[in-house]
Amino acid sequence: MGRMNQAEEPTTVGLMTLLGPVTKTIDESVKAVYDSQSDLEKKLDALQEELAKFQGMPEIPEVLEKYTQKLAASRRKITQTNSLLATVQDRVQKLNVQAKKASKRKQAELGVVE
């Protein structure tokens, strides 16, 4: 990447200053959703264990069978969502690291002291 002219440098520093807090906010939000999904997954595990007790019965009530299928479908969706959240969180963390590096580099070029 070529050297920026003096008019572009303040813009770059401004953008980096703006992006840092935004990526931090996004990262915190993703973590909160991930934690919520993890809690939900634990509760679904407990419910699945309770429903497993009915598997030994000669005849499972139709209502429970329907809920068991819904539970399995929900579990798959949560697993997919957790995977997606982990990917998003990883990308946000990488963006944050890149923004910090670029900001420090620009501040050093401009002689700004923190």
Side-chain angles (χ1 to χ4, degrees):
M1 190 177 350
R3 179 117 172 114
M4 293 185 184
N5 64 39
Q6 288 182 341
E8 292 174 321
E9 289 176 354
T11 303
T12 302
V13 171
L15 284 173
M16 290 300 138
T17 302
L18 180 67
L19 288 177
V22 170
T23 56
K24 182 179 179 184
T25 301
I26 291 171
D27 188 44
E28 289 170 353
S29 297
V30 168
K31 284 180 184 177
V33 171
Y34 185 78
D35 290 343
S36 174
Q37 290 290 318
S38 180
D39 289 343
L40 180 58
E41 186 175 21
K42 288 175 186 174
K43 289 178 182 177
L44 285 174
D45 285 342
L47 179 58
Q48 192 169 23
E49 287 176 18
E50 289 296 316
L51 289 173
K53 294 175 183 177
F54 291 101
Q55 285 181 340
M57 295 176 68
E59 186 177 309
I60 298 175
E62 194 173 309
V63 173
L64 285 180
E65 184 64 35
K66 201 184 311 182
Y67 285 115
T68 302
Q69 291 172 356
K70 286 182 179 183
L71 180 63
S74 295
R75 177 175 261 311
R76 283 191 299 276
K77 288 178 184 179
I78 288 173
T79 300
Q80 290 171 345
T81 301
N82 282 343
S83 176
L84 179 62
L85 284 172
T87 301
V88 169
Q89 188 174 16
D90 185 49
R91 288 179 183 173
V92 167
Q93 287 174 343
K94 287 178 183 177
L95 279 173
N96 197 20
V97 168
Q98 289 175 349
K100 285 180 182 178
K101 285 180 182 178
S103 180
K104 285 181 181 180
R105 187 174 37 238
K106 286 298 165 192
Q107 287 175 352
E109 287 177 8
L110 296 173
V112 177
V113 179
E114 291 184 24

